[in-house]
Amino acid sequence: NNQYSIFNNQFSSGWYKIVATTKDKYGELVKAEKYIYLTGNTNEKIYDAVKVDVTKGNAEPGESISYNIKTGFDNIWLIHTLSKMDMTNIFTYKTLTNIQPAAFVQPVTEQDRGGMAMSYAFVKHNRVYKGNQGFNIPWSNKDLQISYETFRDKLLPGANEKWKVKITGNKGEKVAAEMLAGMYDASLDQFKPHGWTRPNVWPGLYNTIYWNINGFGKVNSDEYSRMDREYLTAPNKSYDQLLASRNRGYYNEETMSMKTMSAPPPSPVMAQSKMNEVVVAGLGVQKKTRSTGNNEQDMSGAPDKDDSISSVSGNQPKAPDVQIRKNFNETAFFFPDLKTDAEGNIEFSFTIPEALTKWKFMTLAHTRDMATAYSEKNIVTQKPLMVQPNAPRFMREGDNMEFSAKIVNLSEKEVTGVATLELIDAATNKPVDGWFKNVFPSQYFTVAAGQSHAVKFPMEIPFNFNSAMTYRIVAKAGEFSDGEEMAIPILTNRTLVTETMPINLRGVNSKTFKFEKLLNSSPSVGGREGSTITNHALTVEYTSNPAWYAVQALPYLMDYPYECAEQTFNRYYANTLASHISRSMPKIKAVFERWKAPSPSEQLRETKIGSEARGGEATAMMSNLEKNQELKSALLQETPWVLEAQNEAQQKRNITLLFDMVRMSAEQNKAFNKLKEMQSSNGGFVWFKGGADDRYMTQYITTGIGHLRKLNALTGDNYQTI
């Protein structure tokens, strides 16, 4: 590389061309050219066609926008516009020369907040020259200032704090404001960053002028240079089975989305066969088990679940009497409507959780006229001596592991102490150190100032520990101490397998049913463990009138709280089916009438003989819930209508209300009219009124209509109308 110095300092402003020539090793001439523009002082002649010099482009009300427009031509006739927030466009026409630029000064008022814009255009030598320039006039009068009268960026975990924040206007004046404040664990931002945005409600300038070129045009040359390459494309990897095995959904490769299929409503269960538990997965070494009644014991000689005797010999140091940190809430506080006092101050109190971490503190303030401000700060909770466990999110029975923790010394001197680990059954609050083989519950440490040290506690997770384990780890060194307590789920290696079989009996006869899967469920073999399958339960449920299951479910369809097309149709469906049942089953209708207004003799008879007076119908209604608590628990999770009717009396009220003929007719017409409003012009149905029609919703409703027709529940005018 060669460098050349240019000593001529008499250059004037304008465009220059630099030419470099040389010869290559073959004696051929090689030349390179480059164009540059030299600028001088503002009074020098320019060689640009047009140039805009902005002297002041940002201004507040009371100030002025100023700029110059220059040209290198001998003279031009310039069209100049200035667009403002009041929707006006000021046109001015100027004659410029290369020695006489045009100067523009525009005063700014409050009505100009949002910005101004300038545009220009002129024609010279059959060519159009044009340009635009924007000027910023901010809504600074809508800015608030947030100052922290009380604030600490380092807190002790669990500390009780009272802070004061002051809100003022952009010039420091008092304002009446409301503030949203929140603080959460900043480590969550690694998964999803969080923050609040000031509402952008103040308008900006959009009334601007742009010039179009009419009658003149330019032609650009195109260089065709293309090289075709062949690429090897790796096939897409999809794991549909892994995804589909989760939420009973299916994976759509074309849309790269997961769709979840809703579970069908539970069908009446006449009989439940044996529920088996099978070992599915595990970590670590498993122990052989032997069956003792309904329980299993570890044959390796591990103590029972309630055995808290440690196998460590000698005197173990007693856990220090320190404050154990237990509150690990990820949100420290959330105050949505804090208000200023007469002085513009806001005070609030909170208790910081006990996690040792960094916190993100956010404030968003606003006034009635939408002046706003947003602020963020970071706070750290720490102690001179800290114990930070590296605990897993869960454990599995049979695991072998080392429970590790870090001892951090933030003091100014070296410390020596002891860390103690206790393991507790979260359900019974009893120690289980012996069962988990926590044989070294105490670890001694020495940590230099500003350094950390790791301690490890070996343990084994026992089999058949059907609870959660709580760990309590404490570190104490002289005057400093710290402790943490938290529960960890213990996952089983077994899964519950449920098999069902319907048993239908009609008339007075007897039948024999064989539970083939139950008979053939020979004990599975799990390697060295031998048999891994165990019997859990056999449940049989009986009902004399299965139709009551459908009757019980109808009030649930009527109690939908939303007004979407799906639930509106379900109301129509329930009323139509209830009308059909009342017409086709007079005996059932009579039962409803007795429930609605029983006579004194019927009330007495019902008190004496109960449901026998109704031929067992009400007994069928109650038996599946009141007599079978296990099924009731399952139904509470799967069928919300049970929640609406926890007892027979409430069920009666719901069903008789549904089967009231006058109410049925009114509700049916009401639902039909709403459905009609949700049908679009092409025949499809929308989710909510005013939306677009949806294929799923249309098929859902037409399928339901087909069910009613097949049941002959639609007759006469209803058949034609629907």
Side-chain angles (χ1 to χ4, degrees):
N1 295 329
N2 295 326
Q3 293 185 352
Y4 298 92
S5 298
I6 301 176
F7 299 100
N8 184 3
N9 57 1
Q10 301 301 317
F11 292 106
S12 59
S13 299
W15 285 98
Y16 290 83
K17 181 169 70 172
I18 300 176
V19 181
T21 59
T22 185
K23 290 185 178 181
D24 61 15
K25 61 181 180 179
Y26 302 107
E28 297 292 336
L29 186 66
V30 179
K31 182 170 69 172
E33 297 179 354
K34 185 174 182 63
Y35 289 88
I36 65 171
Y37 185 80
L38 293 183
T39 59
N41 58 55
T42 56
N43 296 324
E44 282 189 350
K45 181 180 179 181
I46 70 167
Y47 292 89
D48 279 334
V50 64
K51 182 179 181 182
V52 178
D53 284 334
V54 179
T55 308
K56 185 172 178 60
N58 295 335
E60 293 283 341
E63 300 175 346
S64 297
I65 296 293
S66 59
Y67 54 94
N68 297 318
I69 300 179
K70 305 176 181 179
T71 182
F73 290 116
D74 292 339
N75 63 81
I76 61 172
W77 187 73
L78 182 77
I79 304 174
H80 172 270
T81 66
L82 185 66
S83 302
K84 303 180 67 176
M85 288 291 295
D86 59 2
M87 305 297 290
T88 60
N89 293 286
I90 303 173
F91 281 78
T92 55
Y93 308 95
K94 298 280 187 178
T95 299
L96 282 65
T97 67
N98 55 9
I99 60 174
Q100 184 63 45
F104 298 88
V105 177
Q106 179 63 41
V108 175
T109 66
E110 285 290 339
Q111 288 71 30
D112 295 322
R113 290 191 185 274
M116 294 183 185
M118 175 273 292
S119 69
Y120 65 86
F122 66 92
V123 179
K124 194 69 174 180
H125 301 318
N126 294 334
R127 178 178 293 181
V128 175
Y129 298 86
K130 62 178 182 175
N132 299 83
Q133 180 68 50
F135 307 107
N136 183 31
I137 305 172
W139 289 95
S140 55
N141 60 329
K142 300 302 180 182
D143 291 336
L144 297 178
Q145 296 179 7
I146 301 177
S147 58
Y148 299 90
E149 305 292 305
T150 306
F151 176 79
R152 284 173 286 276
D153 59 0
K154 289 184 175 62
L155 298 176
L156 288 173
N160 296 318
E161 292 289 311
K162 185 176 183 180
W163 286 3
K164 179 189 288 187
V165 177
K166 189 175 187 65
I167 311 296
T168 58
N170 69 321
K171 296 180 179 179
E173 71 274 15
K174 292 181 182 179
V175 294
E178 184 173 321
M179 188 178 80
L180 166 66
M183 184 190 295
Y184 67 94
D185 192 330
S187 63
L188 296 177
D189 280 351
Q190 300 180 43
F191 304 101
K192 175 67 176 177
H194 186 57
W196 296 326
T197 303
R198 293 176 58 182
N200 184 19
V201 297
W202 301 107
L205 181 70
Y206 65 91
N207 176 42
T208 57
I209 290 180
Y210 295 91
W211 296 97
N212 295 321
I213 302 175
N214 296 321
F216 300 97
K218 57 183 178 180
V219 178
N220 297 324
S221 64
D222 294 331
E223 179 181 356
Y224 183 81
S225 176
R226 187 181 70 188
M227 180 179 295
D228 293 331
R229 296 182 175 88
E230 293 184 0
Y231 295 93
L232 293 177
T233 303
N236 292 330
K237 295 181 179 179
S238 61
Y239 304 95
D240 52 325
Q241 291 303 315
L242 291 176
L243 291 171
S245 64
R246 294 288 179 176
N247 299 321
R248 288 188 289 185
Y250 63 92
Y251 188 73
N252 190 327
E253 291 189 20
E254 294 181 357
T255 61
M256 300 295 288
S257 62
M258 181 69 182
K259 294 187 178 180
T260 303
M261 297 182 292
S262 59
S267 58
V269 179
M270 301 305 171
Q272 295 179 350
S273 69
K274 180 178 178 181
M275 302 180 185
N276 298 326
E277 290 184 345
V278 181
V279 172
V280 294
L283 297 175
V285 180
Q286 298 178 337
K287 303 292 188 298
K288 292 184 178 180
T289 58
R290 65 175 181 267
S291 176
T292 56
N294 292 328
N295 300 320
E296 292 182 359
Q297 292 181 343
D298 194 335
M299 298 180 63
S300 63
D304 292 335
K305 188 173 185 179
D306 295 335
D307 189 355
S308 60
I309 302 176
S310 175
S311 60
V312 180
S313 60
N315 295 326
Q316 296 297 322
K318 186 179 179 180
D321 186 15
V322 298
Q323 183 178 1
I324 305 297
R325 293 181 288 103
K326 301 179 181 180
N327 179 9
F328 302 104
N329 292 344
E330 294 172 331
T331 299
F333 59 80
F334 180 79
F335 302 132
D337 55 353
L338 299 170
K339 295 179 175 61
T340 56
D341 57 18
E343 300 300 320
N345 297 321
I346 295 176
E347 292 186 342
F348 58 93
S349 301
F350 64 93
T351 300
I352 194 76
E354 297 171 328
L356 303 172
T357 185
K358 182 173 75 172
W359 302 87
K360 187 174 180 180
F361 175 41
M362 305 181 299
T363 54
L364 176 64
H366 69 89
T367 61
R368 290 177 64 90
D369 59 353
M370 287 307 295
T372 59
Y374 175 71
S375 176
E376 284 185 7
K377 283 187 175 295
N378 289 324
I379 297 96
V380 176
T381 47
Q382 62 183 31
K383 300 176 67 175
L385 180 71
M386 299 185 293
V387 55
Q388 298 176 331
N390 184 25
R393 296 186 64 182
F394 63 89
M395 298 177 180
R396 192 178 290 276
E397 59 180 6
D399 284 353
N400 296 320
M401 66 167 292
E402 282 187 333
F403 187 96
S404 62
K406 183 171 65 173
I407 310 297
V408 181
N409 177 19
L410 295 182
S411 67
E412 298 178 353
K413 60 181 180 180
E414 181 182 86
V415 296
T416 298
V418 61
T420 305
L421 176 67
E422 297 179 57
L423 305 180
I424 304 166
D425 187 337
T428 63
N429 205 30
K430 293 182 179 180
V432 290
D433 295 279
W435 201 10
F436 280 72
K437 295 187 178 180
N438 181 23
V439 295
F440 301 107
S442 298
Q443 303 284 337
Y444 292 91
F445 61 83
T446 298
V447 189
Q451 301 295 318
S452 62
H453 176 77
V455 292
K456 299 179 180 180
F457 303 86
M459 66 173 65
E460 294 183 13
I461 313 303
F463 289 92
N464 299 320
F465 183 78
N466 301 318
S467 180
M469 183 269 286
T470 299
Y471 70 83
R472 180 185 298 149
I473 184 169
V474 174
K476 187 174 179 62
E479 61 191 70
F480 302 127
S481 64
D482 187 32
E484 180 174 311
E485 179 179 311
M486 183 178 287
I488 302 178
I490 307 297
L491 305 184
T492 181
N493 283 341
R494 309 173 74 80
T495 185
L496 185 66
V497 178
T498 304
E499 298 175 355
T500 62
M501 174 187 290
I503 300 175
N504 299 313
L505 293 174
R506 293 183 180 274
V508 182
N509 56 17
S510 62
K511 287 185 179 180
T512 301
F513 298 88
K514 282 190 177 183
F515 290 77
E516 298 292 347
K517 291 184 179 180
L518 181 62
L519 294 173
N520 297 328
S521 61
S522 58
S524 59
V525 178
R528 294 180 297 174
E529 298 302 321
S531 175
T532 60
I533 190 171
T534 57
N535 300 336
H536 177 66
L538 177 64
T539 302
V540 177
E541 180 195 342
Y542 166 79
T543 177
S544 61
N545 195 339
W548 282 106
Y549 284 105
V551 173
Q552 285 175 268
L554 290 180
Y556 168 59
L557 298 179
M558 282 296 301
D559 287 340
Y560 274 133
Y562 304 113
E563 298 300 322
C564 64
E566 177 190 19
Q567 297 187 8
T568 302
F569 175 75
N570 287 341
R571 297 189 191 101
Y572 179 87
Y573 187 95
N575 278 283
T576 303
L577 201 55
S579 300
H580 174 64
I581 293 174
S582 296
R583 290 193 306 266
S584 59
M585 300 180 181
K587 183 179 179 181
I588 293 180
K589 182 179 179 180
V591 172
F592 296 151
E593 293 297 328
R594 284 200 299 269
W595 289 354
K596 186 176 181 180
S599 64
S601 59
E602 288 175 331
Q603 292 178 358
L604 178 63
R605 180 174 57 179
E606 182 163 327
T607 303
K608 291 181 178 180
I609 62 177
S611 59
E612 292 182 1
R614 297 187 301 274
E617 293 96 337
T619 304
M621 288 180 60
M622 280 193 62
S623 62
N624 64 322
L625 295 178
E626 302 304 326
K627 296 181 180 180
N628 189 338
Q629 293 300 317
E630 181 177 341
L631 182 61
K632 180 178 180 180
S633 176
L635 288 174
L636 288 177
Q637 299 176 14
E638 298 294 337
T639 52
W641 58 267
V642 180
L643 295 173
E644 304 294 333
Q646 294 283 340
N647 53 67
E648 183 185 17
Q650 182 63 41
Q651 286 178 333
K652 289 180 182 179
R653 284 192 292 270
N654 289 351
I655 295 175
T656 53
L657 185 63
L658 170 66
F659 279 79
D660 184 274
M661 298 304 294
V662 176
R663 183 175 184 269
M664 270 194 295
S665 177
E667 290 290 339
Q668 188 178 18
N669 292 332
K670 182 179 177 181
F672 174 82
N673 292 329
K674 283 188 176 181
L675 276 179
K676 195 173 181 180
E677 294 176 357
M678 296 183 183
Q679 189 174 23
S680 60
S681 59
N682 66 357
F685 286 90
V686 302
W687 277 93
F688 287 92
K689 187 177 179 180
D693 59 279
D694 179 76
R695 175 179 292 272
Y696 168 82
M697 184 55 61
T698 304
Q699 291 179 339
Y700 181 87
I701 292 175
T702 52
T703 302
I705 294 173
H707 290 165
L708 293 175
R709 287 186 171 182
K710 188 173 183 180
L711 292 171
N712 294 322
L714 291 169
T715 58
D717 293 339
N718 285 337
Y719 187 93
Q720 298 298 327
T721 303
I722 195 65

